[in-house]
Amino acid sequence: MAESAVEISPLEVQLLELKKISFLGHGASGYVDLVFYGGQKCALKIGQTASALPSFENERKMMELIAGAGGAPRVLAFCPKIPALIMTFCGAKDLVDVVEKRRFRDERDLLTIALQLTQAVQELHQKGVVHCDLKPNNVVVEMDDEGRPQTVHVIDFGLARPIGGKHTPMKTCLPREW
């Protein structure tokens, strides 16, 4: 089994946030900053409200279970009071950025990315986890200096479930495609 993440205080999270390197992105439940933690660049994901805690706890549990499979980040630390997660940094270019901004050299690169993504999802399933929110901005692609894809990482496991698990039905007035 993978190493468990260490618990950190809200003060430690605030200090990391004050010294952040840059803003990486945001989603429905929070935002992500690039920070230094433990001598390395890491992603600090912070929940917008305390109601995000169950999603963050689920994400931590799923990432500990998969232990880097599928190129997933590894969770290093968490703060249940904010909520916040510190994870290894997988890169800043998601699939939307790579494809829409044509940050690849030719069409063969897209095939390489598709194959690596397929392999990444297979690794997750072999670990017994279904992502449940696979979309272009939850796929990070590391590119070399010549614009060739090197590694694909699946990120954001807040909605992930063990194989055979399920989500409770959502009550909403807005229909969701997923």
Side-chain angles (χ1 to χ4, degrees):
M1 177 128 183
E3 262 186 56
S4 294
V6 298
E7 187 171 333
I8 60 173
S9 71
L11 180 59
E12 290 173 282
V13 173
Q14 290 170 346
L15 290 173
L16 286 169
E17 194 173 13
L18 284 172
K19 295 179 182 181
K20 73 180 177 188
I21 300 166
S22 64
F23 172 78
L24 292 174
H26 62 87
S29 64
Y31 60 94
V32 183
D33 289 331
L34 182 62
V35 299
F36 272 111
Y37 177 80
Q40 64 181 334
K41 287 183 180 178
C42 293
L44 169 62
K45 183 174 183 178
I46 299 177
Q48 304 247 13
T49 64
S51 66
L53 183 58
S55 172
F56 277 61
E57 287 177 342
N58 181 69
E59 184 165 16
R60 178 175 61 91
K61 184 170 68 171
M62 292 295 109
M63 288 191 335
E64 287 176 348
L65 178 66
I66 61 177
R74 292 180 181 268
V75 63
L76 303 172
F78 71 99
C79 177
K81 293 186 170 112
I82 288 187
L85 292 171
I86 300 173
M87 312 166 248
T88 55
F89 177 59
C90 294
K93 289 186 177 107
D94 65 22
L95 197 53
V96 174
D97 187 49
V98 170
V99 174
E100 287 183 3
K101 295 180 182 173
R102 295 200 52 86
R103 295 184 190 267
F104 56 92
R105 290 177 49 139
D106 57 47
E107 306 305 322
R108 286 178 289 174
D109 292 336
L110 294 178
L111 187 57
T112 298
I113 292 168
L115 179 59
Q116 287 185 13
L117 177 56
T118 302
Q119 290 169 333
V121 170
Q122 183 178 20
E123 287 178 22
L124 296 174
H125 292 173
Q126 288 171 342
K127 290 286 190 170
V129 172
V130 178
H131 189 275
C132 297
D133 194 23
L134 195 60
K135 57 188 177 186
N137 59 352
N138 284 342
V139 177
V140 174
V141 182
E142 286 185 77
M143 307 291 277
D144 67 15
D145 293 337
E146 296 177 5
R148 296 275 185 206
Q150 297 302 300
T151 310
V152 169
H153 303 272
V154 177
I155 62 168
D156 194 351
F157 289 85
L159 294 175
R161 291 291 183 265
I163 289 176
K166 63 181 180 177
H167 286 277
T168 55
M170 292 177 62
K171 293 183 180 181
T172 178
C173 59
L174 300 172
R176 304 271 188 196
E177 292 181 22
W178 48 272

